[in-house]
Amino acid sequence: MNYIFFAMVAISFVVAAYKQVTWVTPIVAAGEEAAKAPMEHLGLSMISTAESSVTLALGLIGVMALFLGLMKVAEAGGLLRIIAKLLRPLMVRLFPDVPADHPAMGAMIMNISANALGLGNAATPFGIRAMQELDRLNPHKGTATNAMALFLAINTSSVTLLPTGVIAIRAASGSNDPAGIVSTTLIATICSTTIAIVTAKLLQGRFKTPAHDALTEPEDPTEPQEALPADASAAYPLWASALALGALIGFVPLTIFYGPAIAPWIIPGLMIAFLSFGMLRGVPIYESFVEGAKDGFGVAIKIIPYLVAILVAVGMFRASGAMALLIEPIGLITAPFGLPAEALPMALMRPLSGSGAYGIMVAIITDPTVGPDSYTGYLVTTLQGSTETTFYVLAVYFGAVQIRRVRHALFAALAADAAGIAAAVGACLLLFGHLQ
């Protein structure tokens, strides 16, 4: 991210400097405001963008507190464990090389369950733990196993039921339909996860373990390990998992045909559903909500420096004209397919940098000429909610166990990214194409 941040600022400065040197002061009629010089425009853009990023973050506090409060009630009621128990019968079939009762299986299930609920902070520790446990089964240390590659591919594309963070951003930016991306995000992540699994399975035979790798004995899986959450190894019957999967897939056509009618119900429905769930599970819902809301307050405050850095860099890139020079020619090709030039930076940045993509998304939906409820606004927020920072995930998860040969993991993850972007474009065209 250091190089991306510096490159955006440096390129913006060079482009603005060239325009400044070649700039000719226009003749202005009496009473008209004089056009600002390129460098002056760049400086004013930096100041205004820094101010607006703080204003946005402050407006985000209440929304983040609301959603994280609700998620805390659901988490305290055991929703994460319920999803984990539904996933287990499917996971043992996807990962035949991992014993069903091994701690790696439990950690993977908890990671995917947390991602499905938009609990990124909870998902990452489970993901690292899963990689560490998978490495205990790895006879070729330093080389990714088939299970590692598949898990990473699924992690970068994980089916997302509630993109809570993006909904909060849309609400804070003044959207009249902040939950409108639930359906498009679900469609995109189902497609990307399917492609991730298929690609990983097809490629695992083509990327053999190098013959010169020294074989080591897998660690004893019976050694005592740090305990996972309760019920991490439990499972519902296969028919219950199949029924839940069928209901999830069946929800897709409902969102396509009745999306506009369903969307207004989502946020009030989540409020009553999560609180009712907590009450039925004996959770002290008020105390749990307040605890989660405190976390939301902290998150909103913590992101202010990141927002200022990224939004100022993006603002400079746009104000200098560098973005137009880079994006507009490509946009002429992609726009007829539903990917307008304004959304291209988001699609290109998302696999590389989470904070960079986040900043670009915010810059786009807070732009008065675009807004969160335009086609482009729906598209970029769907991209944010349905794709992952692939290279970051690969570096963190594989770095945690010193994996140097990633084999087919990167190809499968990038295929999932491409499928997620294509599916997001298709879903947004289908549901919001009339806004173009």
Side-chain angles (χ1 to χ4, degrees):
M1 191 57 210
N2 292 322
Y3 296 109
I4 295 173
F5 179 67
F6 178 76
M8 292 179 71
V9 173
I11 292 171
S12 302
F13 180 83
V14 170
V15 172
Y18 174 79
K19 290 184 175 182
Q20 180 73 30
V21 171
T22 58
W23 191 63
V24 177
T25 305
I27 299 174
V28 180
E32 292 184 2
E33 184 179 354
K36 293 180 175 61
M39 273 296 176
E40 182 185 4
H41 179 61
L42 184 65
L44 291 174
S45 173
M46 293 169 62
I47 300 299
S48 64
T49 305
E51 292 176 349
S52 63
S53 61
V54 175
T55 302
L56 175 67
L58 293 177
L60 187 61
I61 291 175
V63 186
M64 287 295 289
L66 170 63
F67 278 100
L68 290 188
L70 290 175
M71 294 307 298
K72 191 69 175 181
V73 172
E75 187 179 0
L79 185 59
L80 194 64
R81 292 193 295 273
I82 290 173
I83 295 177
K85 290 163 74 174
L86 284 170
L87 283 176
R88 176 170 284 275
L90 303 176
M91 291 288 287
V92 295
R93 288 162 175 79
L94 279 176
F95 294 89
D97 299 335
V98 181
D101 58 348
H102 194 274
M105 186 65 74
M108 287 192 294
I109 290 170
M110 297 302 289
N111 167 269
I112 294 171
S113 302
N115 273 328
L117 293 177
L119 301 175
N121 291 336
T124 300
F126 286 130
I128 294 174
R129 171 72 186 281
M131 279 295 178
Q132 291 170 338
E133 293 295 341
L134 287 172
D135 197 51
R136 285 163 51 80
L137 299 171
N138 186 5
H140 300 272
K141 300 301 183 185
T143 298
T145 63
N146 291 339
M148 287 178 172
L150 177 57
F151 173 64
L152 185 131
I154 291 176
N155 203 274
T156 61
S157 64
S158 183
V159 172
T160 303
L161 304 176
L162 294 173
T164 48
V166 184
I167 292 174
I169 289 291
R170 287 179 56 81
S173 63
S175 172
N176 294 319
D177 182 22
I181 62 161
V182 169
S183 54
T184 53
T185 301
L186 181 60
I187 293 170
T189 53
I190 287 176
C191 291
S192 62
T193 302
T194 301
I195 293 299
I197 294 170
V198 171
T199 304
K201 290 292 187 181
L202 288 176
L203 291 180
Q204 67 184 25
R206 297 179 177 272
F207 287 78
K208 301 291 186 182
T209 303
H212 60 269
D213 268 7
L215 281 172
T216 58
E217 286 294 328
E219 297 179 40
D220 183 3
T222 63
E223 290 181 5
Q225 296 292 309
E226 180 185 350
L228 285 168
D231 296 337
S233 61
Y236 289 126
L238 179 59
W239 65 263
S241 300
L243 186 64
L245 181 61
L248 180 64
I249 295 173
F251 185 67
V252 172
L254 284 178
T255 61
I256 293 174
F257 293 108
Y258 303 105
I262 294 173
W265 290 78
I266 291 177
I267 294 180
L270 286 177
M271 183 83 174
I272 189 63
F274 282 177
L275 294 182
S276 299
F277 176 78
M279 288 290 290
L280 291 173
R281 303 282 289 189
V283 174
I285 59 172
Y286 179 76
E287 289 84 350
S288 295
F289 182 92
V290 170
E291 183 183 350
K294 289 178 182 177
D295 294 338
F297 182 89
V299 169
I301 294 298
K302 286 178 182 177
I303 67 172
I304 289 179
Y306 300 95
L307 274 180
V308 171
I310 295 299
L311 291 186
V312 167
V314 172
M316 291 178 68
F317 205 64
R318 179 176 290 154
S320 68
M323 184 173 288
L325 291 174
L326 175 66
I327 296 301
E328 285 183 0
I330 306 175
L332 293 175
I333 300 172
T334 61
F337 299 97
L339 186 59
E342 297 90 343
L344 263 177
M346 178 71 194
L348 297 174
M349 182 68 76
R350 190 67 179 104
L352 300 173
S353 168
S355 58
Y358 184 88
I360 290 174
M361 175 196 71
V362 172
I364 291 172
I365 65 175
T366 55
D367 185 339
T369 63
V370 181
D373 294 334
S374 64
Y375 170 79
T376 302
Y378 279 111
L379 177 58
V380 295
T381 47
T382 298
L383 289 173
Q384 178 70 21
S386 60
T387 53
E388 185 53 89
T389 314
T390 296
F391 290 93
Y392 170 81
V393 172
L394 188 144
V396 171
Y397 285 14
F398 280 166
V401 289
Q402 289 81 52
I403 294 294
R404 298 180 301 277
R405 299 187 183 92
V406 301
R407 296 176 66 223
H408 55 291
L410 179 59
F411 292 99
L414 291 178
D417 284 337
I421 292 170
V425 170
C428 288
L429 277 175
L430 189 62
L431 296 179
F432 308 115
H434 62 282
L435 299 175
Q436 283 187 297

